[in-house]
Each structure stands twice: as structure tokens, then as C-alpha cells.
Amino acid sequence: MKNIIYKKSVSSTNTEITQYKNLLDEFDFVALYSDEQTKGRGRKNRFWESINNENIYLSIMCNKQIKNLNMITIASGLSVCEALEEKFDLDFKIKWPNDIYIKNKKLAGILVESSFLGNSLDYFIIGIGINLNNKSFSSVNNIATSIYLETKKFVNRDDLINIIIKKVLENINKLDANNFSISNYEKRLNHLHKEVYLGSEQVLTKGVDNNGNLIIEKSNGVVETLSFEEISIKNTN
Ligand code: BT5
């Protein structure tokens, strides 16, 4: 398909895909994936280790007018988790808002970026990094894992990319039609009803509301919702 583009090497698939914006006049979405990224990006200027080893570095660009951008992040996390569940018999969990973990190691990260024209959304980009076939890492050995490290089996990348694209489009369409169910997302959280650290404060997570905000209870019994642009959480275990 002309709207699924492969590149051998890019700085970042999220950056590279913006060159193909005009394809959105013709297609519902554009996807771009690469063997490696020389400047793979995480959120808030963090990095994403992106070596050439049959891993997934994928961006999906779309111009559907989704009103709540936070929910695109939530829906993307669920989509990646559902796609992984379809392919592998492993216990994948989501760390709010949208990291994918196996036990206490990070398998995948998602970076959603958007562009506006005046007040209206021009397009959004869902950037997905998944460690598939890494036997080791150079800078994140203690915190990262890969499907290979968990199963000792080599994984076919292209197959999984197609499933991810399918799931992302399904969930974005559900958001658009107002029938996205947050409970499908919530039940996959690795910290639901558990104590987590919010900065240095220990709080209890109670769920996620329909805007994608995390509901927490503080030690003094006060319940608050947290927007994920503002905070990061850390499990206490
Ligand atoms: C993320 O950021 O987890 C979002 C990562 C998104 C990467 C994709 S790849 C395709 C697209 N193009 C891009 O340039 N980016 C997207 P954040 O939550 O900020 O986590 C970043 C942190 O994860 C880093 O500071 C490291 O601690 C850790 N990390 C870096 N590389 C990793 C890896 N390969 N596996 C696991 N953890 C990693």
C-alpha cells in the first residue's frame, strides 16, 4: 500500500512521517516504519534506544478530528497491548498512561504528537517503539526487556506492524464514534488499586476516568484526578 512506508534509517519516524502529510488527502492514515532511528525520541526530550535489530519503530499519522487528545494516548496504549496479546502468550500490562511492561521491565513506549492549524487539529502522530529482538541494550539494560529476551524466539516484525495498525484504527474509530470503553484499558493497568509514588508522595490508584485522567486517593483520603501531561508515577514494588 502506498500509505505504509518503509525506510531503512531515519532520525525519528515521528519526524520523518510529517513529510508525507499530503497523503492524508487520499488516505485515512499514513504509517511509516524504519529499521533504526538515529534520534529516537521519548516524551519530554527523553530518548528511545533504537538500534537496528528487527524492532518496531513505527509512526501512524491521522487527521480524524478527535476532541480529546489525551484519549488518543490512552487508545494507543490499549491498541499496542491488544496487538501484542494477539501474537504472544505473555503477561503484558500498561503503565498509565501508555507504557507497556512485562513484569517490571519496559517493553514498549508511545509518543503521541499533534499539530494544530489555529484552534483546529491538523493531524496527530502516534509513535510506537517496541523491543522485539534485542538480546541486550546499551543504556537501558536494567529497565528494558524485549520479546526475544522473554521467549528466546525471534519475532517477525511486519506481521505485528499490520496488527498494530489495525488495532489503532479500530480504537481511534471507536473514540470518534464515542464508543471507546475505558474498562478495556483500565483492566490492563499494572498498578490499579495499588500504591504508587507520585513524586515523593505515596498514593493509591483508583482507576482512569473517561478523559484518560488517573484517579488517585491520597493518604489523607482526598481523591484527585491527574492529567498525564503533568506527572509521572512509580510503582512502590
Ligand atoms: C516513551 O517515552 O516511552 C515513548 C517512546 C516512543 C518511541 C517511538 S519509536 C517510534 C517513534 N519515533 C520516535 O522518535 N519516538 C517514537 P518516555 O515515557 O519518555 O520514556 C523514555 C525513557 O524510556 C527513557 O528515558 C529511558 O529511560 C527508557 N528507554 C529508552 N529506550 C528504551 C527502550 N528501547 N526500551 C525500554 N526503555 C527505554
Side-chain angles (χ1 to χ4, degrees):
M1 254 164 101
K2 275 188 299 184
N3 59 333
I4 300 185
I5 299 150
Y6 160 76
K7 296 266 171 181
K8 210 166 170 36
S9 178
V10 294
S11 62
S12 155
T13 55
N14 269 29
T15 308
E16 185 75 14
I17 200 169
T18 57
Q19 293 189 27
Y20 297 89
K21 201 195 130 195
N22 59 340
L23 287 179
L24 289 176
D25 298 340
E26 217 181 315
F27 298 99
D28 286 348
F29 74 95
V30 179
L32 184 146
Y33 65 100
S34 185
D35 287 345
E36 66 171 5
Q37 302 185 113
T38 52
K39 282 195 179 140
R41 289 189 275 124
R43 295 170 298 163
K44 298 180 184 160
N45 283 329
R46 292 190 285 254
F47 72 101
W48 188 254
E49 190 176 308
S50 306
I51 53 161
N52 181 353
N53 201 1
E54 283 276 317
N55 293 312
I56 289 184
Y57 311 114
L58 166 71
S59 293
I60 301 169
M61 177 166 56
C62 181
N63 59 5
K64 241 184 214 319
Q65 293 298 303
I66 305 295
K67 292 201 181 55
N68 185 335
L69 285 177
N70 284 359
M71 287 305 290
I72 297 175
T73 298
I74 296 287
S76 309
L78 174 63
S79 306
V80 172
C81 202
E82 288 176 335
L84 288 163
E85 287 167 5
E86 202 167 304
K87 281 285 291 177
F88 310 105
D89 190 17
L90 291 166
D91 192 19
F92 300 105
K93 291 281 181 210
I94 301 173
K95 181 172 172 196
W96 180 83
N98 62 0
D99 291 336
I100 309 291
Y101 273 69
I102 298 178
K103 289 176 223 120
N104 55 356
K105 298 231 163 139
K106 185 159 164 175
L107 177 80
I110 301 171
L111 173 67
V112 176
E113 296 178 306
S114 50
S115 172
F116 283 79
L117 278 178
N119 283 332
S120 60
L121 182 65
D122 188 16
Y123 59 82
F124 59 86
I125 296 169
I126 301 167
I128 300 165
I130 309 179
N131 304 319
L132 291 185
N133 293 303
N134 309 59
K135 293 192 170 129
S136 66
F137 298 87
S138 57
S139 54
V140 288
N141 261 323
N142 295 334
I143 55 166
T145 191
S146 70
I147 298 286
Y148 179 85
L149 287 171
E150 299 294 328
T151 62
K152 300 288 175 277
K153 288 192 189 114
F154 182 81
V155 178
N156 180 288
R157 175 184 67 181
D158 293 2
D159 204 16
L160 186 58
I161 285 180
N162 287 327
I163 302 174
I164 292 171
I165 293 173
K166 186 184 83 181
K167 293 282 182 194
V168 165
L169 296 177
E170 265 172 30
N171 281 313
I172 293 295
N173 285 336
K174 282 186 190 168
L175 275 185
D176 196 36
N178 258 334
N179 63 3
F180 179 82
S181 157
I182 199 77
S183 63
N184 279 337
Y185 170 88
E186 210 175 41
K187 69 183 182 201
R188 291 172 167 85
L189 286 177
N190 65 358
H191 50 72
L192 188 61
H193 306 305
K194 290 191 183 151
E195 298 279 347
V196 297
Y197 279 114
L198 172 59
S200 59
E201 196 182 348
Q202 209 167 321
V203 300
L204 181 69
T205 65
K206 309 220 20 141
V208 176
D209 70 14
N210 285 327
N211 293 316
N213 298 319
L214 186 68
I215 307 164
I216 54 124
E217 185 177 329
K218 297 191 163 182
S219 53
N220 60 5
V222 173
V223 174
E224 281 182 8
T225 55
L226 303 170
S227 153
F228 54 74
E229 296 304 331
E230 298 155 23
I231 65 138
S232 63
I233 59 169
K234 204 166 169 224
N235 285 10
T236 51
N237 53 14

